[in-house]
Structures are given as C-alpha cells and as structure tokens.
C-alpha cells in the first residue's frame, strides 16, 4: 500500500519522500532541470552540487553537445562561457570546426548513477579528442558515433590521430585563467612536453591521468566569490614533464608489483553518498523549483 501510494504520488508529480539512506545519486539523477537559484557551485568536484546551472545549447556555431540522452550538458555559467570561447579557438584549427562536448554535469550536479566521481559541481568538462568536423550531427548520430582514441602502447605514446591542433587546443585551454587543470593520458603530456618550444608554464596544468585518450577533461577553478566552492590544491610547481616521462617509462617497463602485506586492512569499498554527506546547501538545491 505504501509502495502503491509512493508510485501514485510520483506519477502525478509529487516527490517520493526520500529516506535518509537514499543514495544522493538517485535524487540528483532524477532531476530533469536546473534549480531556479543564483548560480553557485557547492562543495568539491567529487562531492557537491550546483545551483542555477545553465544548459549548454545542444548545437552552437562552434560546438555540439554529445550523448544528449544523458542530460549532462549542464554547468555553471562560467563553464558554459569557457566552452564557447575554447570552441571558437578550436574552430580556427585545421580540420576542426569546433568541439564535441561530452559530459559536464547533471542539471543540479551531484553524484551520478553511472560514470564519473567528479563532475559534481558544474566545473568539469569532458571534451572529445575527435575533431569536430561536422556540426550538423542529428541527436541520434550523437548517441551513436564514438570519439577516437589518441593513444598507442597503452598510453605511453600518441598515435597517428594526434595532431598539432590537439596541442594547440589543449594549450589554449591550459593558458585560460579559468582553468585549474586538464587530465590527459601520459603519452599525450610527454608529446606536448617534447613539442613545446616556447613558454612552458602552461604545461603545469596538463596532468597525466588514467584513461583520457578519447577525451580530455578540463577542470575549472571555483568562480570568483563562490563561497562554498572547494578547490583542489594547485598542481605541483614546474612543468611536470619529468613525472610524466617517469609514468611513461613505467608503462613501457612496469616495475615489479609491491609485496602485499597480509596484515594490512582491506580497503573498504566506497559507500554511496547520501544527501547528508554533501554540503548542506545541496538539500536546498534539490528542493528548489
Ligand atoms: Zn571527465
């Protein structure tokens, strides 16, 4: 009876009362649109939410949002501005007419039912490595086409699909004041380290990471004055090229596995966050119209 009531209420549009144990990803994953609040990220990239997010238009003069069925083309307004600016730059590169944009955040951010741990506060953006040559892809085509991997040898090197345009687009993103760091596979970082003959300061923000050979991931700084938005520590000083080269060396020549300490405690499986794990403002973000 209780269940039936809950189903009826949900069908006619009332929220089913969530218990304290309901995973936050179920609550945030169910919201089809942004909250009508002043734009603000709350919490950290991997534990938070976003108020007053803006939807990246599905198609613009220099971009298309991909995989629209996921409804993850929502971000802080500064994120949307950044994407428009970078896509305009990309459109000037040979073979590119703009950018294909992957996941940003859910309409109210928060944890997701599938995929990422971060992307929770509307400041993370996945950008496809595949050159956006056509900007008239249908919704259906954008569900079906795939990006292109740029790696070979398990990510130790870039492959033949990598071009100077990739270097220039990542460089432009890294030089942008709004950007905190960019994740890309180790072989791409080393390639950029080798190819950059000018000022190398921007390389500091290019961070080698697992995966990230079909897309690169741009993480923005907290917008000015965004109290309640929690930044990560800045990347270590320097261009990070020696560390990236070491990572590549370890891919090519894996070090022997570390001996396992049988008395060490088993790592605990990660628990799903509930609403009370998130910053308190996230309850209002969920409840807002
Ligand atoms: Zn990402």
């Amino acid at each position: 009876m209780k269940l039936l009531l809950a189903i009826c209420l949900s069908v006619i549009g009332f929220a089913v009362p969530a218990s304290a144990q309901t995973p936050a990803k179920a609550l945030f994953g169910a919201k089809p649109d942004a909250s009508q609040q002043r734009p603000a990220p709350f919490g950290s990239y991997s534990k938070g939410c976003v108020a007053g997010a803006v939807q990246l238009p599905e198609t613009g003069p220099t971009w298309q949002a991909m995989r629209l069925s996921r409804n993850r083309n929502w971000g802080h307004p500064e994120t949307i501005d950044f994407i428009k600016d970078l896509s305009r730059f990309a459109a000037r590169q040979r073979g590119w007419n703009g950018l294909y944009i992957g996941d940003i955040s859910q309409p109210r951010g928060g944890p997701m039912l599938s995929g990422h741990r971060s992307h929770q506060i509307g400041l993370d953006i996945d950008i496809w490595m595949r050159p956006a040559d056509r900007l008239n892809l249908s919704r259906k085509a954008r569900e079906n086409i795939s990006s292109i991997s740029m790696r070979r040898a398990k990510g130790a090197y870039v492959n033949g699909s990598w071009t100077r345009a990739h270097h220039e687009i990542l460089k432009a993103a890294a030089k942008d004041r709004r950007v905190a760091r960019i994740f890309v596979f180790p072989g791409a970082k080393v390639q950029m380290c080798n190819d950059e003959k000018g000022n190398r300061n921007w390389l500091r923000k290019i961070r080698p990471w697992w995966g990230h050979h079909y897309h690169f991931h741009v993480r923005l700084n907290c917008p000015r004055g965004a109290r309640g938005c929690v930044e990560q520590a800045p990347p270590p000083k320097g261009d990070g090229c020696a560390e990236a080269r070491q990572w590549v060396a370890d891919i090519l020549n894996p070090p022997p596995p570390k001996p396992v300490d049988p008395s060490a405690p088993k790592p605990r499986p990660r628990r799903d966050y509930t609403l009370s794990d998130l910053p308190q403002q996230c309850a209002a973000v969920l409840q807002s119209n």
Side-chain angles (χ1 to χ4, degrees):
M1 183 59 205
K2 240 186 180 167
L3 177 69
L4 193 64
L5 183 69
I7 292 170
C8 291
L9 286 175
S10 70
V11 166
I12 57 175
F14 286 95
V16 179
S19 84
Q21 281 80 44
T22 306
K25 62 186 179 185
L27 304 174
F28 283 93
K31 290 290 181 188
D33 51 18
S35 70
Q36 291 173 29
Q37 293 173 294
R38 201 170 63 82
F42 294 116
S44 64
Y45 303 98
S46 300
K47 196 182 198 178
C49 61
V50 56
V54 174
Q55 189 172 28
L56 177 70
E58 294 175 11
T59 298
T62 48
W63 73 86
Q64 285 202 292
M66 310 303 278
R67 304 287 190 263
L68 295 165
S69 63
R70 299 192 199 184
N71 199 26
R72 291 177 181 171
N73 54 326
W74 298 79
H76 187 276
E78 194 162 300
T79 305
I80 305 305
D81 287 345
F82 167 80
I83 291 169
K84 292 177 179 176
D85 293 345
L86 186 66
S87 72
R88 222 174 288 125
F89 177 87
R92 298 201 298 267
Q93 305 302 309
R94 184 204 303 243
W96 297 64
N97 287 315
L99 295 173
Y100 290 146
I101 305 299
D103 287 357
I104 310 170
S105 286
Q106 302 180 126
R108 302 186 189 202
M112 299 185 198
L113 288 162
S114 64
H116 322 274
R117 280 216 305 132
S118 63
H119 290 259
Q120 293 196 23
I121 55 175
L123 299 176
D124 290 289
I125 315 141
D126 286 343
I127 300 177
W128 283 24
M129 296 277 202
R130 179 184 182 131
D133 47 357
R134 286 180 53 189
L135 294 175
N136 60 353
L137 296 173
S138 67
R139 292 182 66 97
K140 185 156 179 267
R142 282 182 268 171
E143 295 298 327
N144 294 328
I145 77 161
S146 299
S147 189
I148 296 173
S149 173
M150 297 288 136
R151 77 172 181 183
R152 66 182 172 87
K154 295 181 176 161
Y157 303 109
V158 298
N159 62 25
S161 297
W162 178 265
T163 62
R164 183 71 192 191
H166 290 90
H167 179 105
E168 296 298 339
I169 292 166
L170 279 142
K171 177 177 177 175
K175 288 175 80 167
D176 193 297
R177 284 176 30 257
R178 292 168 288 194
V179 170
R181 64 225 298 145
I182 299 171
F183 301 106
V184 71
F185 68 100
K189 163 100 190 197
V190 170
Q191 186 71 41
M192 286 183 272
C193 288
N194 293 343
D195 290 346
E196 181 54 56
K197 305 299 179 209
N199 185 314
R200 312 177 65 76
N201 290 345
W202 61 276
L203 285 163
R204 179 181 178 198
K205 290 192 198 169
I206 306 281
R207 311 302 301 164
W209 206 244
W210 288 273
H212 297 93
H213 52 107
Y214 285 95
H215 71 265
F216 59 97
H217 174 149
V218 178
R219 173 165 293 168
L220 301 187
N221 292 307
C222 289
R224 277 185 80 136
R227 286 186 294 146
C229 177
V230 181
E231 274 174 0
Q232 226 177 324
K237 288 234 149 49
D239 62 17
C241 290
E243 297 89 329
R245 289 195 177 97
Q246 185 57 53
W247 190 327
V248 164
D250 289 345
I251 293 173
L252 296 172
N253 226 331
K258 292 203 181 82
V260 181
D261 175 357
S263 65
K266 286 239 154 38
R268 264 200 256 157
R270 245 184 224 122
R271 181 177 63 81
D272 279 333
Y273 290 140
T274 62
L275 192 51
S276 62
D277 292 316
L278 303 180
Q280 63 168 52
Q281 297 95 327
C282 293
V285 169
L286 262 185
Q287 277 157 20
S288 163
N289 284 330

